[in-house]
Amino acid sequence: MNLMSIYRTLLEHFGKQDWWPVDEDYHKKVGSDKRVEIIVGAILTQNTAWRNVEKCIEEMKAKRMLDIKRICELDIEKLEHLIKSSGFYRQKAKRLKDFMCYIKEKYNADLNKIFSQSDERVREELISIKGIGFETADSILLYAANKPFFIVDAYTIRFLKRFGIPLHGNYESIRKGIEKRLRKDVEIYKEFHALIVELCKQYCKKVPRCDACPLSSACKHNLP
Ligand code: SF4
């Protein structure tokens, strides 16, 4: 079974996930840029469960803090307090503030300006910002900038290894290996990443539930 077939099987089983989860109504109401919520989520989700990130985002929304300039200008201690539920909150507050101040100072707080560059150029620039690694950069690129970079997270590696898709080398070579096997399509990348997360939450857990998994008949891990 190739990656496109796996994608179609998961899509049929779980249905469309419509990621990244953002509160469209909130952004319409206050006139804010929903891409800021995606970036905040991508930074805060490092090494923590999504439910902890959701708490922080709710707090930030209540204080109208999902805004590049306001995050940049907020006292670091106040920002730390706002995102405390996400864990590693000192480090993450600094990363958030550094990122937002970079966009404010270099691009006048306008994400369209950084995202309008070529795909590779934006990626290089994001990775050059302190605290933004490959996975965070690719989450921002795919879901906030609509650029075709596949996200290689721990779920993806766990599932693909078990399934028997060969993965070699570092983050970059694994990402390129996956992208080579898929149609280059932002919507497929978005949906597939979300489907892999769902698969790993429901079936391909630390202790896998292969009997009920929609991929059980094709998965190497489950073969006798
Ligand atoms: S069959 Fe088992 S190991 Fe394979 S993808 Fe499903 S849950 Fe994971």
Side-chain angles (χ1 to χ4, degrees):
M1 203 180 203
N2 62 29
L3 278 189
M4 281 306 294
S5 311
I6 293 172
Y7 166 70
R8 283 190 280 268
T9 303
L10 294 179
L11 186 60
E12 198 176 308
H13 183 83
F14 293 113
K16 276 194 94 185
Q17 302 296 300
D18 288 326
W19 264 32
W20 188 281
V22 287
D23 187 345
E24 303 265 358
D25 292 342
Y26 167 84
H27 294 290
K28 268 185 206 141
K29 196 171 121 202
V30 307
S32 51
D33 185 340
K34 70 177 182 185
R35 295 173 298 182
V36 176
E37 182 175 338
I38 297 172
I39 295 168
V40 168
I43 292 174
L44 295 187
T45 200
Q46 296 166 352
N47 303 309
T48 198
W50 182 251
R51 62 180 174 279
N52 299 326
V53 178
E54 282 176 326
K55 283 184 211 156
C56 302
I57 288 179
E58 283 310 311
E59 293 250 348
M60 292 180 83
K61 281 193 319 206
K63 297 197 160 50
R64 301 274 165 104
M65 282 305 302
L66 288 176
D67 178 273
I68 292 171
K69 286 185 185 160
R70 297 194 72 194
I71 293 174
C72 172
E73 287 159 10
L74 189 67
D75 285 345
I76 192 80
E77 291 80 13
K78 287 187 180 158
L79 187 55
E80 286 172 0
H81 186 73
L82 262 182
I83 63 154
K84 205 160 190 169
S85 312
S86 71
F88 305 101
Y89 62 91
R90 290 215 165 92
Q91 192 185 51
K92 289 180 182 176
K94 183 162 180 346
R95 285 179 183 173
L96 262 186
K97 199 171 163 70
D98 286 350
F99 186 94
M100 298 305 172
C101 288
Y102 179 90
I103 302 293
K104 175 177 172 254
E105 279 146 31
K106 185 158 180 196
Y107 293 102
N108 196 22
D110 184 353
L111 288 171
N112 292 328
K113 288 187 182 155
I114 178 167
F115 291 162
S116 65
Q117 303 175 94
S118 74
D119 298 353
E120 291 297 337
R121 177 73 201 100
V122 190
R123 189 167 193 266
E124 272 169 31
E125 191 167 348
L126 290 185
I127 289 165
S128 76
I129 302 172
K130 210 161 176 267
I132 305 296
F134 291 124
E135 187 184 327
T136 307
D138 288 338
S139 301
I140 295 170
L141 287 160
L142 183 60
Y143 289 105
N146 285 310
K147 293 194 180 280
F149 293 98
F150 201 86
I151 302 163
V152 182
D153 63 354
Y155 284 144
T156 307
I157 291 175
R158 182 208 284 169
F159 155 61
L160 292 179
K161 267 191 183 161
R162 284 175 176 169
F163 193 86
I165 303 280
L167 304 173
H168 301 293
N170 57 16
Y171 183 101
E172 283 300 76
S173 52
I174 294 172
R175 175 181 66 79
K176 286 177 188 162
I178 295 171
E179 288 175 4
K180 240 192 273 168
R181 294 172 165 92
L182 287 173
R183 202 163 71 228
K184 191 169 184 174
D185 181 320
V186 168
E187 293 312 313
I188 291 177
Y189 286 13
K190 283 182 179 177
E191 204 52 54
F192 200 7
H193 173 68
L195 289 165
I196 290 173
V197 172
E198 202 51 36
L199 174 78
C200 289
K201 281 185 177 166
Q202 292 196 35
Y203 303 106
C204 207
K205 300 167 171 228
K206 278 187 188 151
V207 178
R209 292 175 54 222
C210 300
D211 289 355
C213 175
L215 298 170
S216 62
S217 62
C219 179
K220 195 172 149 204
H221 186 84
N222 195 41
L223 291 178

